[in-house]
Amino acid sequence: MRFIIIARANADPIAGSRPGDSWPSEMAAYHDTLARAGVLLDAAGLQPSATGWRLRYADGHCETLEGPHQQGCDHAAAYTVIQVRTRAEALEWARRFPAPAGPGVAAEIEVRPLYDMPLRALPKP
């Protein structure tokens, strides 16, 4: 089973709020532990919403919305994808995820299972 662990931005997602100074090294150690256990599939931090865009689909049209995006406080700041045997195992790994905003600062991560859909081989050019 694959799961994605999403760290939420807790301050200004437009400016690209950054966690405490120790968070990058804590995340590196966490990812190293996941890799040594053989469960890490992918992980990265995300640039501020000002550097991206959204696509909005409505009434049969697709509209491109350039960043920054201020709607709500649901901006993802980083993610980690793991592959484990059970939901309980995913929960245990998620509980070890370093506090995104630093120790003692309110923050949130979200964990969601990924659909297991077979990927079709792309045709050769």
Side-chain angles (χ1 to χ4, degrees):
M1 301 177 73
R2 292 176 304 143
F3 290 84
I4 186 167
I5 304 168
I6 305 164
R8 300 285 180 198
N10 73 330
D12 184 359
I14 293 171
S17 63
R18 292 190 139 314
D21 293 335
S22 64
W23 198 65
S25 61
E26 291 171 5
M27 286 305 297
Y30 175 67
H31 289 146
D32 183 58
T33 301
L34 291 170
R36 282 188 277 113
V39 300
L40 179 64
L41 295 179
D42 191 19
L46 302 175
Q47 293 187 18
S49 72
T51 65
W53 60 91
R54 292 182 179 179
L55 299 177
R56 179 177 294 151
Y57 297 91
D59 301 321
H61 294 71
C62 178
E63 177 185 11
T64 303
L65 306 168
E66 292 291 335
H69 307 288
Q70 284 210 357
Q71 296 173 333
C73 59
D74 63 345
H75 291 276
Y79 71 91
T80 299
V81 180
I82 60 174
Q83 184 164 358
V84 294
R85 290 179 297 277
T86 66
R87 180 182 176 94
E89 188 179 350
L91 175 60
E92 289 306 312
W93 282 113
R95 288 179 187 223
R96 296 169 69 177
F97 196 94
V105 179
E108 184 176 296
I109 67 168
E110 179 179 351
V111 181
R112 294 173 61 183
L114 298 175
Y115 283 113
D116 285 322
M117 295 188 289
L119 297 177
R120 295 183 185 171
L122 296 175
K124 293 184 180 181

